[in-house]
Amino acid sequence: MAAAGAGGRACGGERETAASGTPASGTFVAGTPCAFSPSERRLLALSGLDGRLRVWETPSSRLQHEYVPSAHLSAACTCLAWAPPGAGGGRTAPSKEGPQRKKRKSEAVEAGEQLDLLAIGTAVGSILLYSTIKGELQSKLNGHDNKINCVRWHQDNGCLYSCSDDKNIVEWNTQTCKVKCKWKGDNSSVSSLCISPDGKMLLSAGRSIKLWDLETKEVYRHFTGHATAVSTLTFITVRPPNENQPFDGITGLYFLSGAVHDRLLNVWQVRSDRKEKNAVMSFTVTDEPIHVDLTISESKEEPVKLAVVCRDGQLHLFEQVLNGYCKKPLTSSRTIQIATPGEGIDSTPKPVPILAAAFCSDKQSLILVYGNSLQPVIERVTLNTLESHTCLVRDVQKTLALKTEMAITKVKTPIVNSEAKMLIPGIPGHSAAIRSSSCGKKVENKRKPGGKEESIEDRLGAMDIDVMKIKSSSGGLPQTDNFAVLLLQGLESNDLEILNKVLQIKKEVAIKKTVARIPVHAVIPLLHELTKRLQGHPYCASQMVRWLKSVLTTHASYLSTLPNLVPQLGMLYQLMESRVKTLQKLSRLHGKLYLLITQVAALEQAQDKTDVNQTAKLVYEEESSEEGSDDEMAAEKDSDEDWDEDDEGEEQSDNEQEMAVEKEINGESDLDPENESEEE
């Protein structure tokens, strides 16, 4: 049987998941969530960038269902998982009592319902259960506080397991739509889940990997994991290699894991020794894996076949017998690429990205899904005819063009000129696709007989607007100089697609204006997001340094007022210390000087802006009457005379004091009257 025939595959998107016991691959970067149905890969569920869920038939590439969630504009799909046969979404088995005809009818209805149920995880923390047979939403599960990263069905009891960025794992009773059990899975977000073949154990992963006992909800084993968030987790064996030893259902089994921004897929073995936590072998690929499918090994001699779709659009095939520890990473035995023929107007061949791949039940052929997520091309390829490196030439131009049959209705679709630039506000989880008409087409509008439509220039002239001022050298297109609204929306909704688009901006002016316009309460969340991205790929880290420098220089005064700044930015400080260890003193001096220079420049700029012209625009002098002026002159004259008299009196008193002092010094002081009479 193909890899876990009881489950589907998932790819792309914020997360891609599958049913229990089968691979689920994905990444936290932009992509397309998709999942193959467990029934011979006959159906492919795919959620496009427009938020719609489409179900395609893989043999004929025909669109079977299209579902538009009511909240698709605010709650994008992040992961998909088909219910495995026999699970029935948690429904109870039909009763065996009663007439035979009724029993068969109920069993037939139950079997039909068991094969069509599709679980849809959303970015707002809710899970939708969609019935493809009824073509409607069956129920909605609410129990998480943040984005759903992975959903998995139990292959036996029909329970549903989900994990989220809120650090919790939830076990759902899909029959009652209530939480059966909820427990904390990790100290950070839980990104992937996988149920063991016997249904008694559960693998969960954030960065490290834990094996849980589903009965007691306790950790059974710990594994090292990856440096980044794990995006792929699946068991690849159902029996241990050594069949002579007694089997407890889990010991000796192998499972596979892949992570974001990691080009290695690690293989782990559940051993009896609890101290053994490292991987036993690894597979190397050219880029980050976004979709993984495999055939499960049912015996010791049977090799495991692995199909890995990478972000660069290539497909790598591996075939390996699991026989213990392997030190050197294993390379792919076959590589598949798809390209256009490069004929006609466009003579240069262009690569066509592969979105997903799945093994058929015969294990000798492969289903490829490539092209556009809105109109994918589904093709079956035989593995025996492939060489070590195969490039399939496919003309997908006509297929990728959206073919929609327009019925004659009163509703008219607006035609957008190709020169027009549409500015669309950010939508959490997805962005809308826009079709533009060719610029050569003329639009004919119905008008009243004898009526003449005025040109835009005439209309602007009537509004007293200078047309030449509107036209610019770049064609007059509106340009935005900052993305503060999008950045704030991405931080509040934790939407990685919006954050990726905003933080990939390289223009220094746009970065500075965006940082300057964000409110102060968003500074700390932005620094946490930048710190998280600084630990990733070096190219991404170099881009984040520009944002970090702008945030620290623009909001330095606000950050200095926070009392708990050191614990909040401790990780960022340690990261910067480790990066600049070789030139520590020079880097510190450069950072301090740069901070001082930018603060002085900002202060001067603020002072220049606050200077106000103090010159009065208008001076008003009140005219006085002649009488009033005469009185004022007389008063001034009297006051002048008084001042003169006072000055003369002060001068006389000063002269008398000086003469008295001189007489005392010369001994010529005046004699008393009595002495004068005696002398006479």
Side-chain angles (χ1 to χ4, degrees):
M1 58 180 294
R9 302 295 185 273
C11 83
E14 302 276 355
R15 296 278 329 126
E16 298 93 48
T17 61
S20 57
T22 61
S25 66
T27 137
F28 290 96
V29 244
T32 305
C34 67
F36 287 95
S37 68
S39 53
E40 302 294 330
R41 309 293 186 269
R42 187 178 59 86
L43 299 176
L44 171 66
L46 189 145
S47 178
L49 297 176
D50 56 354
R52 301 190 177 197
L53 175 67
R54 297 178 176 88
V55 179
W56 304 83
E57 292 182 355
T58 55
S60 61
S61 299
R62 185 177 66 89
L63 180 62
Q64 188 183 66
H65 297 281
E66 184 172 1
Y67 170 62
V68 183
S70 59
H72 74 289
L73 293 178
S74 59
C77 171
T78 57
C79 52
L80 298 169
W82 289 88
R91 295 172 178 82
T92 57
S95 173
K96 296 183 180 180
E97 299 178 357
Q100 187 176 5
R101 287 184 180 179
K102 291 185 178 179
K103 181 183 68 174
R104 289 179 179 177
K105 185 177 179 180
S106 62
E107 287 179 354
V109 173
E110 189 72 21
E113 291 178 349
Q114 289 175 358
L115 294 175
D116 81 308
L117 209 56
L118 183 65
I120 307 171
T122 64
V124 296
S126 60
I127 301 174
L128 309 178
L129 298 183
Y130 176 71
S131 172
T132 57
I133 292 180
K134 298 178 182 178
E136 62 182 15
L137 186 66
Q138 181 168 300
S139 56
K140 184 177 180 180
L141 310 179
N142 294 316
H144 286 286
D145 300 329
N146 212 326
K147 184 190 72 175
I148 305 295
N149 290 327
C150 181
V151 287
R152 289 295 181 96
W153 291 91
H154 196 284
Q155 60 265 37
D156 297 329
N157 58 20
C159 290
L160 182 69
Y161 293 86
S162 62
C163 64
S164 168
D165 281 348
D166 61 4
K167 309 176 186 179
N168 294 321
I169 302 173
V170 176
E171 180 181 6
W172 299 91
N173 185 338
T174 54
Q175 186 176 4
T176 60
C177 299
K178 294 183 179 179
V179 176
K180 190 175 180 180
C181 184
K182 183 176 182 179
W183 71 95
K184 184 177 180 181
D186 207 329
N187 293 327
S188 59
S189 63
V190 184
S191 57
S192 188
L193 296 175
C194 181
I195 300 176
S196 63
D198 64 351
K200 297 180 180 180
M201 296 288 180
L202 174 71
L203 279 173
S204 72
R207 292 185 179 178
S208 62
I209 303 174
K210 298 178 181 179
L211 182 63
W212 300 83
D213 188 340
L214 286 179
E215 185 177 353
T216 62
K217 304 298 186 295
E218 295 180 354
V219 178
Y220 182 74
R221 289 286 190 279
H222 278 279
F223 299 92
T224 306
H226 296 257
T228 54
V230 174
S231 58
T232 303
L233 206 57
T234 179
F235 279 93
I236 54 181
T237 56
V238 295
R239 297 289 300 176
N242 190 357
E243 299 179 354
N244 298 327
Q245 296 181 356
F247 180 51
D248 59 357
I250 190 65
T251 304
L253 296 186
Y254 290 90
F255 65 90
L256 180 78
S257 69
V260 177
H261 305 308
D262 195 343
R263 294 186 296 172
L264 287 179
L265 292 166
N266 292 337
V267 178
W268 315 77
Q269 187 178 19
V270 183
R271 302 184 180 182
S272 56
D273 185 10
R274 292 178 176 268
K275 296 182 179 180
E276 188 61 41
K277 300 180 180 181
N278 297 325
V280 295
M281 68 177 65
S282 59
F283 301 100
T284 178
V285 291
T286 56
D287 203 349
E288 172 189 351
I290 63 171
H291 184 274
V292 175
D293 191 77
L294 51 84
T295 61
I296 288 185
S297 174
E298 298 180 357
S299 64
K300 183 178 181 181
E301 294 78 13
E302 182 182 4
V304 173
K305 292 183 179 181
L306 187 67
V308 183
V309 178
C310 297
R311 186 156 299 281
D312 57 6
Q314 298 186 45
L315 172 65
H316 299 274
L317 298 175
F318 298 86
E319 189 171 346
Q320 177 68 22
V321 177
L322 303 177
N323 53 4
Y325 182 76
C326 182
K327 184 177 181 181
K328 187 177 180 181
L330 304 175
T331 57
S332 59
S333 58
R334 293 189 183 101
T335 302
I336 301 176
Q337 289 179 293
I338 300 177
T340 58
E343 299 175 354
I345 299 176
D346 190 2
S347 59
T348 304
K350 293 183 178 180
V352 179
I354 300 176
L355 303 177
F359 285 101
C360 299
S361 57
D362 58 358
K363 299 185 181 181
Q364 301 301 322
S365 56
L366 199 65
I367 297 176
L368 296 181
V369 181
Y370 57 90
N372 194 311
S373 61
L374 300 180
Q375 184 74 30
V377 181
I378 304 174
E379 181 181 348
R380 183 166 178 168
V381 179
T382 304
L383 298 179
N384 297 333
T385 60
L386 300 178
E387 299 178 358
S388 59
H389 185 85
T390 304
C391 182
L392 303 177
V393 180
R394 299 289 185 268
D395 187 6
V396 295
Q397 294 298 328
K398 297 181 181 180
T399 311
L400 296 180
L402 299 179
K403 299 178 181 179
T404 56
E405 298 179 357
M406 300 296 294
I408 301 176
T409 61
K410 295 182 180 180
V411 180
K412 293 184 178 180
T413 304
I415 301 177
V416 183
N417 195 315
S418 60
E419 296 179 356
K421 184 174 182 180
M422 306 298 294
L423 301 179
I424 303 177
I427 299 173
H430 76 278
S431 59
I434 299 175
R435 290 184 297 162
S436 62
S437 64
S438 61
C439 57
K441 292 184 179 180
K442 295 183 179 180
V443 182
E444 296 183 358
N445 296 325
K446 293 183 179 180
R447 288 181 287 273
K448 295 180 180 180
K452 184 178 180 181
E453 185 182 7
E454 294 182 353
S455 64
I456 299 296
E457 187 172 0
D458 295 337
R459 293 180 183 179
L460 293 178
M463 296 171 60
D464 245 349
I465 298 178
D466 191 356
V467 183
M468 298 306 296
K469 290 182 180 179
I470 297 178
K471 295 181 180 179
S472 61
S473 59
S474 62
L477 300 180
Q479 300 289 338
T480 180
D481 58 349
N482 72 88
F483 301 87
V485 176
L486 282 179
L487 180 59
L488 184 62
Q489 184 178 2
L491 291 173
E492 290 179 351
S493 61
N494 198 19
D495 193 311
L496 294 174
E497 184 173 355
I498 295 180
L499 292 175
N500 289 336
K501 289 182 178 180
V502 176
L503 296 179
Q504 286 173 2
I505 299 171
K506 297 181 180 180
K507 294 183 179 180
E508 295 288 344
V509 177
I511 293 176
K512 290 181 180 179
K513 290 186 176 182
T514 301
V515 172
R517 289 176 180 266
I518 63 173
V520 292
H521 65 79
V523 174
I524 293 298
L526 178 58
L527 286 175
H528 289 167
E529 182 67 25
L530 295 176
T531 304
K532 189 192 306 180
R533 293 171 181 265
L534 279 172
Q535 304 174 21
H537 195 274
Y539 176 77
C540 178
S542 64
Q543 175 66 17
M544 295 304 106
V545 169
R546 303 180 184 180
W547 285 89
L548 185 62
K549 183 188 296 184
S550 181
V551 172
L552 294 180
T553 53
T554 306
H555 298 282
S557 57
Y558 166 70
L559 293 173
S560 61
T561 60
L562 297 178
N564 56 345
L565 181 64
V566 175
Q568 287 190 4
L569 300 184
M571 183 181 297
L572 176 61
Y573 180 75
Q574 295 177 2
L575 185 62
M576 294 170 63
E577 286 289 325
S578 61
R579 293 289 177 93
V580 301
K581 202 172 269 187
T582 54
L583 300 172
Q584 195 169 11
K585 294 183 178 179
L586 186 61
S587 300
R588 284 183 176 178
L589 179 61
H590 177 270
K592 291 179 180 179
L593 291 177
Y594 182 82
L595 187 61
L596 289 174
I597 292 172
T598 51
Q599 292 298 312
V600 172
L603 183 60
E604 292 177 353
Q605 187 177 3
Q607 290 177 352
D608 294 340
K609 290 183 179 179
T610 55
D611 287 344
V612 180
N613 188 4
Q614 302 293 341
T615 305
K617 299 296 182 183
L618 178 64
V619 179
Y620 176 74
E621 296 181 357
E622 184 179 0
E623 296 180 358
S624 58
S625 62
E626 295 180 358
E627 296 178 356
S629 61
D630 294 341
D631 295 340
E632 290 177 358
M633 293 176 63
E636 290 178 358
K637 187 175 181 181
D638 295 340
S639 61
D640 291 341
E641 293 177 354
D642 294 339
W643 278 106
D644 293 340
E645 293 177 358
D646 294 339
D647 292 339
E648 291 177 1
E650 290 177 0
E651 290 177 358
Q652 291 178 1
S653 60
D654 292 339
N655 293 334
E656 291 177 357
Q657 290 180 0
E658 291 178 358
M659 292 175 62
V661 172
E662 290 179 357
K663 289 179 180 180
E664 288 180 0
I665 294 174
N666 298 329
E668 298 177 356
S669 61
D670 296 337
L671 299 175
D672 294 336
E674 297 178 358
N675 296 335
E676 290 180 358
S677 60
E678 290 179 358
E679 291 178 358
E680 291 178 358

